[in-house]
Amino acid sequence: MPLDDAATLVDGMLPTLRDRAAEVDRAAAFPEDNLNLLRENGLLGLLVPADYGGLGGGLADLTDLAQRLAGACLSTGMIWAMHCQQVDSLVRHAAPELKDHVLPRVARGELYLASVTTEPGKGGHLLTGGAPLRAAEGSLLLDRDAPIVTGGAQADGFLITMRSAEEAADREVSLVYADRDQLDIVPQEGWHTLGMRGTSSGGLKLSGRVPPGNVVGEPGNFRHVAMESMAPVGHLAWAACWLGTAHSALRGVLDLIRSRNRPRGLDPSSDLVRERLARVRMDLELVSAYLHRVRQEVDDHRAAGTSVGGPSTQVHLNTLKVAAAEHTFAAVHKLVQLCGLFSAYRTDAAIPLERHFRDLRSASLNYADDRLLTANGALSLLDRTARLA
Ligand SMILES: Cc1cc2nc3c(=O)[nH]c(=O)nc-3n(C[C@H](O)[C@H](O)[C@H](O)COP(=O)(O)OP(=O)(O)OC[C@H]3O[C@@H](n4cnc5c(N)ncnc54)[C@H](O)[C@@H]3O)c2cc1C
C-alpha cells in the first residue's frame, strides 16, 4: 500500500473500531482484532523506511493517523502510536544488524513492539534505571520488573530500559531490544483502571538473554535515544491521540445539537450553549495549532540533522504534552457539563463522553505532568533566548 493511501485505509477501519470501542472498554480487553487490522494493512510499518519494506512515513503521517484512530478508539490509537514511537527509536538508533533483524518483520505486520520504561522504585522517571544488565558468556542477561506494559501479553518484541551494568550509576541506562522468545515472561498485576482500559497495561516480570548488539544506541546513553526520539515522538503521538478523541467528542456533540431529536437543554440559539461550544473549540484549536507547530520544529531539526535537545525545543515538546493533556481533558469535561446527565454522564449515552472523560483523565498521568513542568521551569532558567514556539 502506498503511503498516500494510508489515511483512506485508516478511515475505512474507523466504523469497526468505533463499534468495538465500548466492549473493549467494558471488558478491559486488549483490542486484538483492531491490532490485527493494523498488522494486515501494513500500518505497523508506518515509520519503517521503504528500504526495509515499510511505508516510509514521517511524523506528520503519525500525528494525522493517530488522531483518526484515536477518534474511534483511544486505546487502539495509543497502542498503535506507542508502537510507532518504539519503531522510531529503532530506525534512528539501532545498529544495522538489529535493524535488519527487526524492521522487515515490523513492516510485514509480524512484530508489534511494547515499551518497558516504568520500574518499581523509580516510578515513571524515564532517565534512570534500577535493574542492571549482566554480561555472561558473550550475552547480556536481564531480569526486570515491569509494572506497566501496554500490550505486554500481545507484544512480539520489547524495548526495555536497564541500568547498563551492575556497577553503573542509576543514570547510566541502556535501551535493550528483546524478541518475545528471548524472554521468560511472567504476568504480574492486572490492569484495573478508570480509563484506557483496553490498553491492557498490566505488569510483567521479564528475564532473558540477548546479544550485545541488541543495545539500541550507545550503551549507558539511553538519554540520547530518549531525547532525540522516544520523548519527542511520544509527546507528538500522545498529543495527537488525545486531540483525536476530544475532537471526535466535539463533533459528536455538534451533530447532536444540529439534529432534530436534540435534548431540550441543547438549544443552538442559547448563548450559554454557544459560549460553551466556543470554549471547547478554543481548547482544541490551541492544541491542534501547537501540535502542528512543534511537529514542524522537530521535522526541521531532523531535516537539518540537528538535535532537538536544545532548551527551547525541549520546553516546546514538554509544553505540548502538558497542554494537550490539560486542554483535551478540559474540553471533554466541558462537553459533559454542556450535555448533562442523559446525553453525557450515562454509560449508555449516544456519545461516549463518559468513556472519553475517563480515558483522557490518564493524559496528565501518562508521564506525570509534574515531572515535565518542573523540568520546564529549570529549562526556562537555562534558556537565555526564551524562544517561543
Ligand atoms: C495508559 C497508560 C499506558 C502506559 N503504558 C506504559 C508502557 O507501555 N510502558 C511503561 O513503561 N509505562 C507505561 N505507562 C506508565 C507511564 O509511562 C508512567 O510511568 C506512569 O504513568 C507514571 O506513574 P505515576 O503516576 O506513579 O507517576 P510517577 O512519575 O512515578 O510519579 C509519582 C507521583 O510523583 C509526582 N511527581 C513526580 N515527579 C515530580 C516532580 N518532579 N515534582 C513534583 N511531583 C512529582 C507525580 O505527579 C506523581 O503524583 C503507562 C501509563 C498509562 C496511563
Side-chain angles (χ1 to χ4, degrees):
M1 184 228 353
L3 180 61
D4 288 348
D5 297 343
T8 312
L9 188 78
V10 165
D11 285 348
M13 297 176 186
L14 299 183
T16 308
L17 265 59
R18 208 170 279 122
D19 285 350
R20 292 175 178 159
E23 181 55 17
V24 162
D25 170 62
R26 194 200 57 74
F30 185 90
E32 195 124 25
D33 293 343
N34 296 347
L35 179 66
N36 286 339
L37 272 179
L38 296 166
R39 286 182 190 268
E40 288 156 14
N41 287 288
L43 287 159
L44 293 194
L46 179 80
L47 297 186
V48 174
D51 291 353
Y52 293 94
L55 294 178
L59 298 177
D61 304 301
L62 173 64
T63 53
D64 173 35
L65 299 184
Q67 282 181 69
R68 291 171 195 260
L69 289 168
C73 174
L74 183 53
S75 286
T76 302
M78 285 290 270
I79 287 164
W80 177 78
M82 293 198 288
H83 158 87
C84 292
Q85 176 194 18
Q86 308 309 304
V87 172
D88 188 77
S89 295
L90 285 168
V91 168
R92 300 182 73 81
H93 302 282
E97 207 177 310
L98 182 59
K99 287 199 225 185
D100 289 343
H101 174 65
V102 175
L103 295 180
R105 289 189 288 151
V106 174
R108 290 196 297 271
E110 296 163 11
L111 206 158
Y112 158 58
L113 283 162
S115 163
V116 179
T117 59
T118 306
E119 192 172 8
K122 66 160 205 182
H125 192 231
L126 187 63
L127 299 177
T128 53
L133 280 174
R134 295 194 175 87
E137 299 155 7
S139 299
L140 295 172
L141 301 184
L142 58 90
D143 194 350
R144 170 76 151 81
D145 285 320
I148 310 180
V149 186
T150 293
Q154 289 75 21
D156 309 292
F158 296 80
L159 278 175
I160 307 163
T161 55
M162 299 288 297
R163 196 152 54 84
S164 61
E166 269 176 293
E167 60 285 4
D170 65 0
R171 292 197 162 264
E172 290 171 52
V173 175
S174 292
L175 183 66
V176 186
Y177 172 77
D179 276 327
R180 188 170 195 95
D181 62 11
Q182 289 171 320
L183 296 171
D184 281 328
I185 302 176
V186 181
Q188 305 288 306
E189 277 290 288
W191 180 246
H192 311 292
T193 52
L194 180 70
M196 299 308 293
R197 291 163 54 77
T199 62
S200 281
S201 305
L204 304 174
K205 187 155 174 47
L206 305 169
S207 53
R209 177 188 289 263
V210 296
N214 279 27
V215 173
V216 178
E218 233 179 88
N221 197 8
F222 168 62
R223 185 183 179 81
H224 179 70
V225 181
M227 188 168 287
E228 299 299 337
S229 194
M230 202 177 272
V233 177
H235 290 194
L236 292 167
W238 294 342
C241 285
W242 299 329
L243 179 61
T245 298
H247 191 197
S248 133
L250 172 61
R251 283 197 287 215
V253 171
L254 291 171
D255 285 346
L256 181 65
I257 295 175
R258 289 186 198 111
S259 73
R260 275 199 204 157
N261 54 350
R262 64 173 167 261
R264 266 198 317 154
L266 292 180
D267 177 357
S269 65
S270 148
D271 281 343
L272 186 57
V273 168
R274 289 177 177 185
E275 193 264 358
R276 284 179 170 165
L277 286 176
R279 291 205 174 273
V280 172
R281 176 82 185 236
M282 188 161 67
D283 280 325
L284 303 191
E285 291 289 350
L286 294 176
V287 175
S288 176
Y290 201 70
L291 171 63
H292 278 96
R293 175 68 205 108
V294 177
R295 196 267 305 149
Q296 188 63 60
E297 186 172 347
V298 175
D299 271 340
D300 290 347
H301 275 294
R302 287 186 164 191
T306 51
S307 170
V308 296
S312 317
T313 305
Q314 287 295 299
V315 168
H316 301 161
L317 281 160
N318 292 342
T319 301
L320 170 66
K321 190 271 163 184
V322 176
E326 288 187 355
H327 285 282
T328 57
F329 177 66
V332 169
H333 192 178
K334 287 169 196 162
L335 290 175
V336 169
Q337 190 66 25
L338 171 64
C339 293
L341 206 137
F342 288 99
S343 304
Y345 196 68
R346 285 176 62 137
T347 57
D348 57 354
I351 309 165
L353 285 173
E354 68 80 33
R355 184 176 80 239
H356 298 329
F357 182 87
R358 289 185 286 105
D359 282 348
L360 287 171
R361 184 61 189 83
S362 73
S364 63
L365 306 178
N366 194 354
Y367 207 77
D369 281 357
D370 301 316
R371 289 191 188 276
L372 296 172
L373 289 168
T374 49
N376 267 7
L379 285 163
S380 296
L381 290 168
L382 273 179
D383 181 14
R384 295 194 177 274
T385 68
R387 182 175 62 81
L388 304 179

